[in-house]
Amino acid sequence: MAKVAFIGLGVMGYPMAGHLKTKGGHDVTVYNRTFAKAAKWVEEFGGTAKKTPREAAEGADIVLCCVGNDNDLRGVILGEDGAFAGMKAGSILVDHTTASADVARELYAIGKEQKIGFIDAPVSGGQAGAENGVLTVMCGGDEDVYAKAEGAINSFARSCLLMGESGAGQLTKMVNQICIGGLLQGLSEAMNFGSKAGLDMERVINVISKGAAGSWQMENRGKTMVDGKFDFGFAVDWMRKDLGICLAEAKNNGARLPVTALVDQFYAQVQGRGGNRWDTSSLIHLLAND
């Protein structure tokens, strides 16, 4: 058991922090920008809520964080009320935000100066994965720091792996999102094509999901795509943020992402139809409702 803090109780962070308490057995202190959310978490799980990231981080062995973007991350970690200001030498900050590799390296370097370990550890598995404690976590940072943090991370992870030095976790998450974007566009076209052809799509999905075309997205989103149901899962707004990070990084490393750029434009069109909070499988809406 460790003394841990969790910063950011959104749709991912709320259950992740809960698993640290219930499955990990840790002494958990939480912070959320809206204090009422933190108070609700304490009412459900126990532990303690604080009104600033600094207060939440004071005395913690490990601080975990899951917020929106690079600027949110700097906001809760840096400055007088940020987590780093309350953390002791030898403690560790594990960041589960999907953010840029640049901000990961920036925070790693600042932490190093203060003798605080930093691990960038974005996750995959969505809200359901967080609630069920079966997330995939891809990490970047120093091996010795990762070894100390791995046990806490495993409270809500099915798979957790150190991918390399600082920033490698974020770069791996970019690979993940590039794969998903292209796959969902292909799946949207396939499901729409089959529907237009008059096929029984439930039977189609049942047979082809067992072959080379099969994927998690097909198994879990194929039928809902055909039914036009998108009010769940990973939101289009979040995916556009992630793809923007991928496209910016590609400019730095020279990688070509033509399909990713196109899918990002399609998601912009989904947003234009009011689908900001629809699930990412809503790409099919552009094809089925032209």
Side-chain angles (χ1 to χ4, degrees), residues 6 18 56 78 81 86-87 114 128 130 133 136 155 168 171 192 245 251 256 260 264 268 270 274 284:
F6 203 103
L78 305 178
D81 289 326
M87 293 176 70
Q114 300 181 30
T136 296
S155 298
L171 291 170
N192 185 62
I245 292 170
K251 288 182 179 178
R256 294 180 64 248
T260 303
D264 180 58
V270 174
I284 195 173

Side-chain angles (χ1 to χ4, degrees), residues 151-231:
I153 297 170
N154 280 331
S155 298
F156 45 76
R158 173 172 55 191
S159 175
C160 181
L161 190 64
L162 181 65
M163 307 307 301
E165 61 187 18
S166 181
Q170 295 295 354
L171 291 170
T172 304
K173 180 61 183 287
M174 293 176 211
V175 173
N176 186 80
Q177 300 305 77
I178 292 166
C179 288
I180 291 173
L183 192 158
L184 280 170
Q185 178 60 25
L187 185 57
S188 295
E189 293 181 14
M191 295 298 101
N192 185 62
F193 174 89
S195 296
K196 297 288 188 187
L199 293 171
D200 180 334
M201 292 309 295
E202 189 166 351
R203 293 173 68 85
V204 171
I205 293 166
N206 184 53
V207 68
I208 70 171
S209 64
K210 306 301 186 293
S215 67
W216 185 97
Q217 296 290 346
M218 182 180 289
E219 290 272 8
N220 291 274
R221 295 289 182 263
K223 187 175 186 307
T224 54
M225 290 168 78
V226 172
D227 292 342
K229 296 177 180 177
F230 313 120
D231 56 342

Side-chain angles (χ1 to χ4, degrees), residues 2 7 10 13 25 27 32 51 63 88 100 110 116 127 131 153 159 169 171 176 199 221 259 264:
I7 295 170
D27 177 6
N32 193 65
K51 293 195 173 181
V63 177
K88 60 189 178 183
S100 69
I110 294 170
I116 296 169
Q127 184 176 347
E131 290 172 350
I153 297 170
S159 175
L171 291 170
N176 186 80
L199 293 171
R221 295 289 182 263
V259 172
D264 180 58

Side-chain angles (χ1 to χ4, degrees), residues 12-26 28 41 45 128-135 152-157:
M12 301 293 288
Y14 194 100
M16 290 164 73
H19 288 304
L20 282 165
K21 183 76 172 148
T22 58
K23 287 172 64 176
H26 299 295
V28 184
W41 187 93
F45 295 103
E131 290 172 350
N132 295 320
V134 291
L135 292 169
I153 297 170
N154 280 331
S155 298
F156 45 76

Side-chain angles (χ1 to χ4, degrees), residues 52 54-55 77-86:
T52 68
R54 176 176 182 163
E55 290 173 337
I77 293 179
L78 305 178
E80 285 185 15
D81 289 326
F84 273 173

